[in-house]
Amino acid sequence: MRNAPHIAFARRRRLAAALALATAAPLWAVSAAAQAQDAAYPTKPVTILVGFPPGTATDTVARMLSERLAQRMGQQFIVENKPGAGGSIAAGLGARAKPDGYTLMIGASAPQAINPHVYPNLNYDARKDFAPIGLITWLPYLFVVSPDNPAGNLKDFLATAKAKPNQLTYATTGIGTTSHLVTAVLLSKAGAAMVHVPYKGSSQAQTDIVGGRTTATFDTMVSSLAMVKSGRLKALAVSTPERVAMLPDVPTVAEQGFPGFDMGAWLGLIAPAGIPPAIQDRLAREMNAVLADATVRERLGDLGAQVRTTPTPAAFGAMMKNEYESWGAIVRDFNVKATD
């Protein structure tokens, strides 16, 4: 029976191999099923969370994108507005959503790069809870006032603001939003002081300027262009280094005594962290194809948005990281707090 140990060992080895195969087979089957599911994506409607109300730049761009993605991918892409806290309510919901590609978000400067430095108790981590998909647009900002405001340009307006410290008001889309910080930077450079009046969105802020309840706002061109063109608001400056094609007669902030002034907001598509890479890459390709379409670019341009894209999700992720750090420095410089 000298061979008994060898026979027993051989039996144990065969048994171990059989158990390994039995264990691996279900894992292989699960992996194959997951890959097949990713390849078939989407098989049901996809929700895109938007952290701002209807009529804002973010909402407008989201609806245009969702319409085109639905056409290309054969399923509904449904925009769901969850406004509040400068976009952070939607971001928190998105961070906790199942990372299967059926809940996406329009990421923006405020919730992804600014709010984490402003609000101390956010229920998400902007650096860890989201997967980048791609950049969509860059949003120039317009400084607008009521048509009957006596200021003929930004210089005149700021001269009045300096002469009347904290007597004029400026509306924004919320504490710590891009609208707030762009205005804060401008007033600081001008040495002027105005009272901040935060709103939940653009529409009411602009209505109150027309009605004389607030003096001015620095808001996205997408949100304010229609009212400027209709004559209900008067544009004194644009935030980009060069004038915009839609309003060629409106000078830049840089032209009016602030060389180098170049500020705005970005919008991009993001998902909960953990989304399958195949779905993440598919969404990036489809979105970039949508944004390459001449009709889409023209429509966004007519609204006042500048189409900008990133070649890969990783490239967008690197941009988001840089934006997080850059806006954080501005928040610290101006000591912006959620209780302001």
Side-chain angles (χ1 to χ4, degrees), residues 187-265:
L187 294 176
S188 175
K189 288 179 177 294
M194 296 173 62
V195 176
H196 179 205
V197 183
Y199 288 78
K200 288 186 177 181
S202 303
S203 298
Q204 188 57 50
Q206 294 171 11
T207 298
D208 280 1
I209 291 171
V210 174
R213 287 177 285 279
T214 52
T215 312
T217 189
F218 219 150
D219 204 352
T220 63
M221 190 170 166
V222 173
S223 297
S224 49
L225 183 60
M227 292 188 74
V228 170
K229 284 191 164 185
S230 68
R232 298 183 67 196
L233 289 174
K234 179 169 63 176
L236 300 183
V238 63
S239 68
T240 47
E242 298 177 352
R243 298 191 186 196
V244 293
M246 296 303 298
L247 295 171
D249 295 330
V250 177
T252 67
V253 173
E255 288 179 73
Q256 301 184 72
F258 304 94
F261 192 95
D262 178 13
M263 300 189 76

Side-chain angles (χ1 to χ4, degrees), residues 7 83 95 98 145 150 194 232 249 266 283 310:
I7 294 171
K98 186 176 180 180
V145 295
M194 296 173 62
R232 298 183 67 196
D249 295 330
W266 54 266
L283 283 166
T310 41

Side-chain angles (χ1 to χ4, degrees), residues 40-54:
Y41 172 87
T43 58
K44 61 183 180 180
V46 178
T47 297
I48 300 180
L49 297 175
V50 172
F52 300 91

Side-chain angles (χ1 to χ4, degrees), residues 23-328:
T23 304
L27 292 176
W28 174 85
V30 170
S31 176
Q35 290 177 6
Q37 187 176 27
D38 293 352
Y41 172 87
T43 58
K44 61 183 180 180
V46 178
T47 297
I48 300 180
L49 297 175
V50 172
F52 300 91
T56 57
T58 311
D59 175 76
T60 303
V61 171
R63 292 181 187 280
M64 188 178 300
L65 179 66
S66 66
E67 175 187 330
R68 291 305 183 110
L69 285 176
Q71 292 172 4
R72 290 186 61 87
M73 301 182 75
Q75 283 288 345
Q76 282 185 294
F77 279 71
I78 302 167
V79 173
E80 190 172 317
N81 298 88
K82 296 291 183 181
S88 289
I89 289 177
L93 291 171
R96 297 190 298 276
K98 186 176 180 180
D100 56 3
Y102 291 95
T103 300
L104 308 174
M105 293 148 281
I106 297 294
S109 302
Q112 265 62 55
I114 299 174
N115 294 0
H117 307 284
V118 175
Y119 293 89
N121 298 310
L122 291 180
N123 60 350
Y124 64 90
D125 186 329
R127 294 164 295 180
K128 297 179 180 178
D129 291 344
F130 305 103
I133 294 172
L135 181 64
I136 304 171
T137 60
W138 181 260
L139 303 176
Y141 274 59
L142 286 178
F143 191 87
V144 297
V145 295
S146 169
D148 58 7
N149 191 295
N153 53 52
L154 184 63
K155 276 187 172 182
D156 292 344
F157 181 90
L158 292 173
T160 301
K162 288 178 69 174
K164 300 178 178 180
N166 291 317
Q167 293 183 44
L168 305 183
T169 57
Y170 70 95
T172 74
T173 52
I175 294 170
T177 58
T178 313
S179 172
H180 179 195
L181 294 185
V182 170
T183 310
V185 170
L186 175 63
L187 294 176
S188 175
K189 288 179 177 294
M194 296 173 62
V195 176
H196 179 205
V197 183
Y199 288 78
K200 288 186 177 181
S202 303
S203 298
Q204 188 57 50
Q206 294 171 11
T207 298
D208 280 1
I209 291 171
V210 174
R213 287 177 285 279
T214 52
T215 312
T217 189
F218 219 150
D219 204 352
T220 63
M221 190 170 166
V222 173
S223 297
S224 49
L225 183 60
M227 292 188 74
V228 170
K229 284 191 164 185
S230 68
R232 298 183 67 196
L233 289 174
K234 179 169 63 176
L236 300 183
V238 63
S239 68
T240 47
E242 298 177 352
R243 298 191 186 196
V244 293
M246 296 303 298
L247 295 171
D249 295 330
V250 177
T252 67
V253 173
E255 288 179 73
Q256 301 184 72
F258 304 94
F261 192 95
D262 178 13
M263 300 189 76
W266 54 266
L267 300 178
L269 191 63
I270 60 176
I275 183 174
I279 293 178
Q280 183 182 17
D281 291 340
R282 168 92 187 279
L283 283 166
R285 290 194 304 271
E286 296 289 354
M287 189 182 76
N288 281 346
V290 167
L291 296 172
D293 183 270
T295 302
V296 172
R297 297 177 77 90
E298 183 178 357
R299 284 181 63 190
L300 286 169
D302 289 345
L303 290 171
Q306 299 175 345
V307 174
R308 297 188 187 180
T309 59
T310 41
T312 63
F316 184 40
M319 191 206 97
M320 289 173 63
K321 180 177 183 295
N322 182 66
E323 287 287 298
Y324 181 94
E325 294 169 354
S326 298
W327 282 111

